[in-house]
Amino acid sequence: MVANDPVERPGSPDFIKNELTALRRDLDALTRQSKYPFSISHDGTPDFEVLPDPADPGGGAKVRILNGAGAPIFETFYSTTYSGKAARMLDLSGASMWAQDQLAGYGISHPSLTGWLAPDFYGQGLNPFGTGAETSVATGQFFAYNPAWRLGALVRTGGTGLVSWRFSIAYNGGTVYGPLTTGATGNFYIGSTLLLPASAMANQVTASLLVTNTSAAQTIQVSPTRCYGVSAAQYYIDNGLPLPF
């Protein structure tokens, strides 16, 4: 101690002030440090973990929930496709059973959900049904949780005029359309995979098969097939587009 140093007695205002300053400094240092790896376990078996994510270029963490026997059943991870954090649920063998769609950045890539379309008429109706005007011949409503949907129908035509076909999905804010198939007559299958925007997720949508007829003598029968919710990657594949990563 130097002779001129002030004497700080425990409990004095200066002593308490200096103690609070030191405590604030220690807390600041602690909060600036990484809090992982962190684990909660029982009998040496982890139940919950916060671990460094080596795939994250920013040095972030990943969170894992385990099944009590050391196998992860839910985890977050850094997606190099999405360039951000994503989540997935795993079965006991480590297979991904539920996952956010990394390519779209919204919705889920799996499981694949299903919906149905039904004919808007029965038998060989619509004879004629508005020559030159696009008309819905099959519709269905379902809730969209997948970013992309595969729609299909078996069709039979009985006339000689040209017919154009395409699928559409109307959502809260707009409509997306599949590619136009022109000149298909006789017995055939038509299918399209359509990509919905993020605003459509978890909302009811209306899918339709649209027809434009150039012949008033045309007759049509439609048997829609089950429609499937699929991943954004499947949309690119089905439409012959390069994957954007």
Side-chain angles (χ1 to χ4, degrees):
M1 176 180 293
V2 181
N4 292 331
D5 280 350
V7 177
E8 294 182 2
R9 292 183 298 274
S12 68
D14 286 341
F15 179 85
I16 295 174
K17 178 181 178 180
N18 290 336
E19 287 292 305
L20 289 175
T21 300
L23 179 60
R24 187 182 302 114
R25 188 186 310 115
D26 292 341
L27 287 174
D28 182 66
L30 287 172
T31 54
R32 290 175 184 271
Q33 294 177 0
S34 171
K35 293 299 186 300
Y36 52 84
F38 171 79
S39 177
I40 297 176
S41 62
H42 71 281
D43 299 328
T45 301
D47 296 302
F48 177 85
E49 295 178 328
V50 182
L51 303 171
D53 190 345
D56 189 342
K62 60 181 178 181
V63 177
R64 301 204 311 169
I65 299 175
L66 300 97
N67 69 343
I73 54 176
F74 179 87
E75 65 180 6
T76 64
F77 63 98
Y78 183 86
S79 167
T80 55
T81 302
Y82 171 54
S83 297
K85 292 295 183 184
R88 58 191 170 206
M89 184 180 70
L90 312 174
D91 64 12
L92 297 182
S93 64
S96 178
M97 303 302 294
W98 172 94
Q100 292 174 294
D101 194 294
Q102 300 177 53
L103 181 58
Y106 56 86
I108 58 176
S109 60
H110 55 279
S112 174
L113 304 181
T114 60
W116 293 92
L117 275 69
D120 292 334
F121 62 95
Y122 296 93
Q124 288 189 332
L126 304 183
N127 192 12
F129 65 97
T131 302
E134 192 169 58
T135 304
S136 172
V137 294
T139 57
Q141 291 185 326
F142 46 86
F143 280 85
Y145 292 97
N146 298 87
W149 285 81
R150 176 70 184 174
L151 309 173
L154 299 172
V155 179
R156 179 183 180 184
T157 62
T160 57
L162 294 177
V163 184
S164 297
W165 309 82
R166 65 174 175 171
F167 282 99
S168 69
I169 301 180
Y171 60 94
N172 54 335
T175 304
V176 294
Y177 295 92
L180 195 66
T181 300
T182 303
T185 58
N187 300 328
F188 62 94
Y189 171 83
I190 179 173
S192 294
T193 303
L194 280 63
L195 184 66
L196 290 170
S199 61
M201 296 299 96
N203 287 291
Q204 183 171 282
V205 299
T206 300
S208 300
L209 174 57
L210 306 174
V211 176
T212 302
N213 184 25
T214 61
S215 170
Q218 192 68 258
T219 58
I220 296 172
Q221 290 179 315
V222 177
S223 298
T225 58
R226 184 182 300 178
C227 49
Y228 293 89
V230 295
S231 67
Q234 190 65 51
Y235 163 79
Y236 283 90
I237 293 171
D238 287 352
N239 287 279
L241 302 173
L243 294 173
F245 60 86

